[in-house]
Amino acid sequence: MMKALKMGLFGLAMGALGAVAFPAHEAEAQVIAQPLCCSSCNPRYQRCITNAGGDINTLLICTMQRQECESTCKRTC
């Protein structure tokens, strides 16, 4: 009986922690991920390519980041 009570209280505590911690983390992520101006996509891509040093995995990441930038950027700045 005591073990079940302890497990129930532990579950309640974890649920409360999740309700408080995760929304704050999500809000922080949304603040950081604000769209950039589209004019910054190509210079960021060029810097990434330059710093890749020929590593194929890094070059693929650069390309994916550029595609993401171009699909989410603000065209009006």
Side-chain angles (χ1 to χ4, degrees), residues 19-56:
V20 172
F22 292 125
H25 179 68
E26 179 66 25
E28 180 181 336
Q30 289 175 357
V31 169
I32 293 171
Q34 293 177 353
L36 301 170
C37 291
C38 288
S39 60
S40 69
C41 293
N42 199 39
R44 289 177 69 205
Y45 175 71
Q46 292 299 325
R47 273 193 309 273
C48 186
I49 293 292
T50 302
N51 293 333
D55 179 34
I56 189 69

Side-chain angles (χ1 to χ4, degrees), residues 43-72:
R44 289 177 69 205
Y45 175 71
Q46 292 299 325
R47 273 193 309 273
C48 186
I49 293 292
T50 302
N51 293 333
D55 179 34
I56 189 69
N57 291 327
T58 306
L59 293 172
L60 289 172
I61 291 171
C62 293
T63 303
M64 290 180 356
Q65 287 175 341
R66 181 181 186 187
Q67 290 173 346
E68 181 181 355
C69 182
E70 290 176 345
S71 67
T72 60

Side-chain angles (χ1 to χ4, degrees), residues 1-24:
M1 176 81 175
M2 285 299 283
K3 188 173 184 176
L5 180 61
K6 286 181 184 178
M7 289 304 292
L9 290 175
F10 179 74
L12 182 65
M14 292 304 291
L17 178 64
V20 172
F22 292 125

